[in-house]
Amino acid sequence: MFDLRYQTLVMRERLRSWPVRGFLGGRIDLLPHQFYILQEVSTRQVPRVLLADEVGLGKTIEACLILHRLLELGRVKRALILVPESLVHQWFVELLRRFNLWFTIVDEERCLDVESRDPMQNPFGTAQLALCSVNFVAQNERRAAQVVEVGWDLVIVDEAHHLGWTPEAASPEYRLVEQLAAQTPGLLLLTATPTQLGLEGHFARLRLLDSARFRDLEQFRAEAESYARAWRRLLTAWSRANRSAKRMPRVSQRFSRRIPKDSRGILTR
């Protein structure tokens, strides 16, 4: 019995430390670029990233796989997914059908039902895995305060480019995500168009991920311009080198034509 228990513990530890634990088991075809992203994000101590793949490359699958792995590793216990109203049931079906993850859809009807049974109960505290409309929560100050009060290990926000922000003001949806981001260790923002609203919109998303790094918009503009100048210099240098490389074979061909050869192409001297 001792040997059996020892072997069981060894095998369980080997399974827990398996590099692909949490990546397998889903009803999906894992693509190479997705596996790279999963490895890169899930190995970080605090995963706070912006997933900005183009439309159709599987941002939703990537986010679900990251969540699935973090749940398997025990690094996430409570997770909240905020999506536009039209995508709530689509996310619920994908999570259940592909990863067997049962998320609780938290809407006004459920909140009222919970509060009718216990007025002191926070409706968002009754679910470890919660899925809700970002518009529903942000437009209701009471619900917004409740969802922030609960505390989460990971927050996922889909269609993050809809979070409106300017240096002078911010939309209710943006302020909600900003409050959650300030006290949540993990944050995943999903958008296929991170620069749709220009450099200012991109900065708005980045400051949610790291408010200490991205504090000043003008400084961010200056850094972006310096990167653009460096890229243009690099591109110019590459173009010059490429043109020089293309000229080299022509020079050697002209030189070779000066050397007499016989009919078989063999050098005669």
Side-chain angles (χ1 to χ4, degrees), residues 3 5 9 12 17 21 28 35 39 41 51 55 58 63 77 91 95 102 115 140 143 147 153 175 179 191 195 229-230:
D3 291 339
R5 178 172 175 79
L9 293 175
R12 188 175 67 174
S17 59
R21 184 185 178 194
I28 59 171
F35 185 75
Q39 284 285 87
V41 175
L51 299 180
V55 176
K77 298 295 185 182
W91 269 81
L95 288 163
W102 282 87
E115 291 173 341
N140 189 316
R143 302 307 179 200
V147 75
D153 301 319
R175 291 197 300 269
Q179 293 177 31
T191 174
T195 58
R229 288 195 300 267

Side-chain angles (χ1 to χ4, degrees), residues 93-208:
V93 171
E94 290 294 304
L95 288 163
L96 178 60
R97 183 168 66 92
R98 296 184 182 276
F99 299 96
N100 199 32
L101 293 176
W102 282 87
F103 269 72
T104 301
I105 298 179
V106 182
D107 53 13
E108 185 63 21
E109 182 180 354
R110 176 178 173 81
C111 292
L112 294 176
D113 179 65
V114 172
E115 291 173 341
S116 66
R117 289 183 275 111
D118 184 359
M120 302 302 295
Q121 178 71 50
N122 187 328
F124 294 93
T126 60
Q128 285 190 291
L129 303 177
L131 171 65
C132 59
S133 165
V134 63
N135 311 98
F136 152 67
V137 181
Q139 298 297 333
N140 189 316
E141 293 185 1
R142 183 185 179 192
R143 302 307 179 200
Q146 289 175 333
V147 75
V148 173
E149 177 188 355
V150 169
W152 308 91
D153 301 319
L154 177 68
V155 173
I156 300 175
V157 183
D158 194 14
E159 302 291 333
H161 54 274
H162 291 312
L163 304 176
W165 178 88
T166 64
E168 295 76 24
S171 66
E173 291 79 12
Y174 189 94
R175 291 197 300 269
L176 170 66
V177 176
E178 187 176 25
Q179 293 177 31
L180 289 168
Q183 64 179 42
T184 304
L187 178 64
L188 299 182
L189 303 180
L190 282 63
T191 174
T193 55
T195 58
Q196 182 182 24
L197 302 177
L199 200 62
E200 183 177 286
H202 188 41
F203 174 79
R205 252 48 68 194
L206 295 178
R207 70 186 296 271
L208 290 174

Side-chain angles (χ1 to χ4, degrees), residues 185-250:
L187 178 64
L188 299 182
L189 303 180
L190 282 63
T191 174
T193 55
T195 58
Q196 182 182 24
L197 302 177
L199 200 62
E200 183 177 286
H202 188 41
F203 174 79
R205 252 48 68 194
L206 295 178
R207 70 186 296 271
L208 290 174
L209 298 172
D210 191 346
S211 58
R213 167 67 177 84
F214 302 98
R215 293 176 297 178
D216 185 77
L217 177 58
E218 295 307 317
Q219 180 183 355
F220 179 73
R221 291 183 190 275
E223 290 179 358
E225 181 58 30
S226 67
Y227 296 148
R229 288 195 300 267
W231 166 248
R232 287 193 291 268
R233 290 196 298 267
L234 181 62
L235 186 61
T236 301
W238 178 85
S239 300
R240 291 174 179 173
N242 193 37
R243 287 196 298 269
S244 299
K246 289 181 178 179
R247 285 197 297 268
M248 290 178 63
R250 291 197 294 270

